[in-house]
Amino acid sequence: MELIIVDDYESLSRAAADWLVEAIREQPEAAIVAATGATPMGMYIELAQRRFRDRIDTSQLRVFQLDAYLGLAPDDPRALFRWTRRSFIQPLGITQANVVRLAGDAPDPWEACRAYDAAAREVGGFDISILGLGPNGHLGFNEPPSPPDAPTRVVDLTPESIVSNACYWGSEEQVPRQALTCGMDLLLAARRTLLLVSGAHKHQILHRAVEGPQTPEVPASYLQLASTVTVLADRAAWQGM
Ligand code: F6R
């Protein structure tokens, strides 16, 4: 696990964009799973600006949605697919045919999870995983406790995640209580991972994730065992102030 500490959120976003541009140049047809949430947004804006300037070929990239609220149509304002599309898929010009959605609105959500796993297996797993760190140590919506072999599945959100996601949708009542998440097994098997962590409120969980024991209570702690992981954190997150 490589740990890089940068001064602030702007530096984090630039460094993250550098990392991904390099990874895409090495592997233009990479299968990428990409988080929503606040942390990667600066990186995605940076990437959108660089796409034409730096002539980044995104035409062959394949994008997998990381997680989805149960029961929301893709165009619901709260749908994480809509967020991924607006912030990552469209600005990078990724074609619809190269996008795999985690269908939270499917009549049988467990079948949707199996279909997603099958699509990921078909491309040989993820080449690149871009993740944020939940305040409770979750990755995607792999809420604690999540063992490293947890598959793609339907989960109950923890009260902590409901509270932390309420800020995006106005109130806790707006946050669905269940979600579909890409499994720990797929995330930990990604060939390279970038974990982005910003802000003093992530200080304790960041240290538990990178230095603490590997435990289902901190799902991100299993990244210590994964193949090529870069943790990019700002000073506020690392030092807690
Ligand atoms: C988002 C996701 C979550 C977030 C995490 C951190 O698709 O899966 O795991 O990455 O909750 O969220 P922020 O970046 O908002 O602190």
Side-chain angles (χ1 to χ4, degrees), residues 195-209:
L195 178 70
L196 298 174
V197 192
S198 173
H201 63 298
K202 298 277 178 81
H203 173 63
Q204 284 187 2
I205 196 65
L206 170 59
H207 282 268
R208 289 180 71 195

Side-chain angles (χ1 to χ4, degrees), residues 34-40 66-67 80 83 131-135 138-141 164-165 168 201-202:
T36 58
T39 317
L66 176 61
D67 43 16
L80 298 182
W83 193 349
L131 299 174
L133 177 63
H138 71 206
L139 295 177
F141 273 137
S164 74
N165 287 4
Y168 302 127
H201 63 298
K202 298 277 178 81

Side-chain angles (χ1 to χ4, degrees), residues 165-226:
N165 287 4
C167 65
Y168 302 127
W169 319 118
S171 71
E172 285 179 34
E173 289 65 47
Q174 291 293 314
V175 183
R177 272 27 187 182
Q178 288 185 295
L180 281 62
T181 185
C182 171
M184 289 291 288
D185 52 356
L186 273 174
L187 293 179
L188 296 176
R191 280 175 276 285
R192 43 186 148 180
T193 298
L194 181 64
L195 178 70
L196 298 174
V197 192
S198 173
H201 63 298
K202 298 277 178 81
H203 173 63
Q204 284 187 2
I205 196 65
L206 170 59
H207 282 268
R208 289 180 71 195
V210 302
E211 297 168 341
Q214 289 111 51
T215 163
E217 298 307 324
V218 183
S221 64
Y222 289 113
L223 287 174
Q224 294 173 34
L225 306 172

Side-chain angles (χ1 to χ4, degrees), residues 33-34 63-68 80-81 84 100-103 116 182:
V33 62
V63 175
F64 284 73
Q65 185 184 350
L66 176 61
D67 43 16
L80 298 182
F81 180 71
T84 308
V100 176
R101 190 165 82 83
L102 191 48
Y116 178 93
C182 171

